[in-house]
Amino acid sequence: MKKEIKPRTIAFQIISFMFIVLVVLFIISLFTTGRLIQSLMESNARESFGNITKINVQTIDQTLSKIVTLSRNLELLIKDKNHYEADLNLHIRQLLIDNPEVVSICIAYGSKPYSSNNTYLIRGENFLINPSYSDDFSFKDWFLLPQLTEKPYWSDPWFDSDGTGTIVCSYSIPLFLNGKIDGILRLDTSMENLRQIVSSVRVKKTGYAFLVSNNGTIVAHPQDSLAMNYTIFDLAEQFKSPKLRSMGKSIVNRESNFVHLNKIGIPANIWMFYQPVPTNSWSLATVAPDAEVFADLHNLMYIYIGWVLLAFLIIAFAIWYRTRTINQPLEKLVDSIQKSQSGVPSSATLPISDTYEIQVLNTSFNRLKNSLKKYAESLQAVTAEKDKIVDEVTFASEIQLNLIPNNKKTYTIPPGISAFGILEPAGLVGGDLYDYFSVDEEHFLFAIADVVGKGVAAALTMTMVSTLIRTSAPQLKQPEKILTYMNKFLIENNPDYRFVTMLLGIIDLKSGTCTFSNAGHTPLFLLSEDGNITKYARTHSTALGILENLNASSETIQLKSGDEIVLCTDGITEAISTEDKLFGTDRLEDVLKNLKNPDPESTAQAILNAVKSFSGPNKQTDDITILVVKYMNLN
Amino acid sequence: MLLRQISSRSHLLIRSTITLLIGIVLIFAGSCFSGEKKASATETTTSLEEKSPSSRHLQKVRYTMKWLHQAQFAGAYMAKEKGFFQQYGLDVEILQGGVDNPPYKALSNGKTEFCCMNLITAVEKNNSAFPLINLAQISQKNSSWLVGKKTAGIKTLQDLNDREVGVWRNEAGDHIRYFLNDNEIQAHIIPLDWSINLFLYDAIDMMNVMSYNEYHRILMAGVEPEELVVFNLSDYGYDLVDDGIYTSKAYYSQHPQLCKNFARALIEGWIYALDHPDETVNVVVRYMRENHLPANYNHQSWMLAHMRERILENPDKVGYLKPEDLILAEEILKRNGKLTYPVEYKDFFLQ
């Protein structure tokens, strides 16, 4: 089943089409420009993160490198055999005062009693020298690592209970005596100083920095629960992020990079730049969430989307307004036509428009309107003429009907004869005819005829024929002569060459003979009182009005009392059923066979009923004429 | 306020006097009657110390762990947290061990009633003057490994000769020293604290680790397992079980039911901890933070998961010390000349 398409206005169609086009263009544009801007912003973020990281790495490194320099100076002083212990203490005191980055100093000798190992620090205004209370120090990283590796060592942050009692980060260098390690010199800086540098870093809105030691331990982080508790690899394991672990290795390997990490807690997606601190190989990492790194991009995209929506609304409004302006004349025209009961009202005009198509339509419409007006006028005249003709034809029809015998007027029929005729024209007037009348006291004429064609012309021809029969019969008295005369008249006075089929007979009332002549008409049926049916199909001439020299003959039959002469036109025999079958003469004979005690009227009605029943609801296409004449021998 | 303090002190004095009198009576009775009578005395004590509702007066005891707060001792935290100790009439104070407070020292000095020690440490420290009782053998598998980097070129134990091997100082690393000695390894032993940095910075070639602790810390410093060479002591006949719960025989003799209750509550704590790892790790981390220790959920979760394997080695016999484990510890000590007080299994482990 074909789906009915709901009609849409032009504005709706244009706007929805424009919307689809704009959406497609917008998506393509958003994708391409978005990618370009994202790439640009990534590059900017790398630079921006890099700068922030580098500046803070330098700040941290300045502190650490200063400690390295101070440790070398102090190492030289300690190695100098000429100094006194008091001088060393004074020097250390001054060093601690002049360099607040150094919060304590320790000189430890593995070979000496632990009480001879001292930690130097300033508390308030006091210079303190704390001796060790146990040999625990000899198991600490700051002591063991430089001792075993014979290299300087930057420790992880640790709690110095012998010194400041705070968390410090230490730089230890081995002290050599005669080529062998004699002890360790350790300078401590407060982890709090480094933590403050790190915590002061701000990246974007909520971004931050954190410090990672060279074994991956997070040593300073704005989130206290992470600092000194987790390594970067712990987080990788917790977040199940191989990428984070790989990044951790890159940090531990002292590399620098700008990376994007997905799904690593809250916020889930971050950007990170990391760079090692040259002096101690720790790394500083700066972090900011995706949303903040691309905040400008997102804002730009929101503005872009906003502009596109606004542009679409403006375009949609403009299209709607413009199509409405264009449509208005059409809508008014349609309204006025719809309000009009019929046709195009003369008031229906398209307003003047600057649209080319509307102007063309206007011109065409005016032309159409004028031609319609002319047509309507012409139609009106024709209709009036037609009505007049119809009136006249109706009148002619009445006259025609008056020409044929009225079955009720039996005074024109001689005794012993009864007749009944039926004429049902297909139109207002018909081309069929039946007639019967007494030619004189001894002769009774009956005739049935069919003019080729239908309508007024056929009716007039038939009127002419009817008149001719009536006028010529008293003189000529013989059927063949009457037909010959009529043929001659028709040839001479029938410019349209309308031929006529006719069967005309005269009954001699005295002898009971019937002489008839058939000019191309349907057969005559003789229905005896005993039920016998005789069919007289022979024609005695061609139809009338065709051949100039017509040699008509006739045929005489002896009637018995009670015989019925049954005549009909081809409207009976050629009646068509709904199955496209002809009624034919056989069916007609069947009708006649089944008649019980027939008389002319019942016979004629029976034939008519049988034909109508046969034709069914089919419209009558030809005139139907039946004439039945019954002879009774009164002698 | 002052009156209340005086009143409280008077109460304590009265209660102490009554307890002392009951004790004297019991000791007198014990010395007068036969072994059977002693049993009845024990039963009397037991009846007083059986599992009881928490509303009853709780017996204060101390439990010193082998090391600092971590998931290795989760059973004790959860027994306290979930009220298992209280249900057995105990009010347990959990104390950190480690270098600053070695558990055996704490036990022998009377600073704790119960402690956690390695089996071999307990057997070595055991002596006739102060015999020990194993109340429960918590860990039933060896956890000691020696770990080195493949880059150091060590493939077999023999490669450790003349190499630097980090071993925990004091009793925590004694069994490693015996292991190297038994395998005739002449390595330079570097005594260590808990740090793994010497290993990470290649200052030593190998170090001893606990499979549930330091090994994971090494991995969490960015080292991949495939970069490491591991010698599991179990593979070399040193399938020494470690964490066990100990008390002195003297204390056990005085409070047998209390000791049994302590062990039962602790095991119940462990079962709960292993069944509720997330809740347990939260409690562990809380203990660590309260004691200013580096607290790491990830690491503690890992440790608890590995403790599970050790504790549930034989799920039907949680806390059971196998006789062969005691024999192995004694043999090792004997070989190394450290076995001073051989004991019968039945006298050492509380069945």
Side-chain angles (χ1 to χ4, degrees), chain B residues 169-186:
Chain B
R169 59 179 170 134
N170 299 339
E171 61 199 43
D174 282 347
H175 61 293
I176 303 292
R177 282 181 273 275
Y178 304 149
F179 173 74
L180 293 173
N181 189 44
D182 277 350
N183 287 281
E184 298 176 342
I185 306 294
Q186 302 295 319

Side-chain angles (χ1 to χ4, degrees), chain A residues 50-96:
Chain A
N51 286 339
I52 294 170
T53 314
K54 276 172 198 163
I55 290 166
N56 287 286
V57 162
Q58 279 171 9
T59 310
I60 294 168
D61 203 50
Q62 276 171 6
T63 305
L64 302 181
S65 58
K66 189 175 180 184
I67 288 169
V68 172
T69 309
L70 291 172
S71 71
R72 283 177 189 154
N73 294 340
L74 192 57
E75 181 191 7
L76 291 173
L77 191 69
I78 293 167
K79 282 181 177 175
D80 183 3
K81 300 286 179 191
N82 297 322
H83 80 266
Y84 294 103
E85 192 175 340
D87 292 341
L88 180 67
N89 290 352
L90 276 175
H91 183 88
I92 290 172
R93 179 172 178 273
Q94 199 56 44
L95 188 154
L96 288 169

Side-chain angles (χ1 to χ4, degrees), chain B residues 17-33 41 44:
Chain B
T17 313
I18 292 168
T19 312
L20 189 66
L21 284 171
I22 291 170
I24 291 166
V25 170
L26 287 173
I27 291 165
F28 178 75
S31 62
C32 292
F33 295 102
T44 311

Side-chain angles (χ1 to χ4, degrees), chain B residues 14-129:
Chain B
I14 293 164
R15 198 180 294 167
S16 306
T17 313
I18 292 168
T19 312
L20 189 66
L21 284 171
I22 291 170
I24 291 166
V25 170
L26 287 173
I27 291 165
F28 178 75
S31 62
C32 292
F33 295 102
S34 63
E36 281 181 33
K37 297 285 180 184
K38 273 182 188 173
S40 72
T42 309
E43 278 166 15
T44 311
T45 315
T46 306
S47 67
L48 286 172
E49 295 172 348
E50 273 176 353
K51 186 176 180 180
S52 57
S54 55
S55 59
R56 224 192 64 183
H57 170 69
L58 300 176
Q59 182 71 42
K60 280 186 183 290
V61 290
R62 291 160 296 182
Y63 168 58
T64 303
M65 303 177 302
K66 195 169 81 180
W67 192 243
L68 308 180
H69 289 295
Q70 55 184 3
Q72 183 184 356
F73 312 107
Y77 310 133
M78 297 319 285
K80 188 175 171 81
E81 194 78 10
K82 306 312 290 184
F84 300 134
F85 282 139
Q86 288 90 328
Q87 285 172 21
Y88 283 98
L90 297 168
D91 177 11
V92 180
E93 185 184 3
I94 301 169
L95 302 169
Q96 292 190 107
V99 178
D100 295 335
N101 183 27
Y104 177 76
K105 199 173 167 186
L107 191 68
S108 57
N109 290 347
K111 289 182 178 173
T112 189
E113 282 74 37
F114 304 100
C115 73
C116 174
M117 282 188 286
N118 287 345
L119 174 64
I120 194 162
T121 307
V123 175
E124 184 177 346
K125 299 286 184 189
N126 204 5
N127 59 75
S128 56

Side-chain angles (χ1 to χ4, degrees), chain A residues 20-37:
Chain A
I20 293 165
V21 171
L22 275 175
V23 164
V24 171
L25 286 174
F26 171 64
I27 290 170
I28 295 168
S29 163
L30 194 71
F31 184 74
T32 49
T33 52
R35 291 293 295 174
L36 282 170
I37 295 171

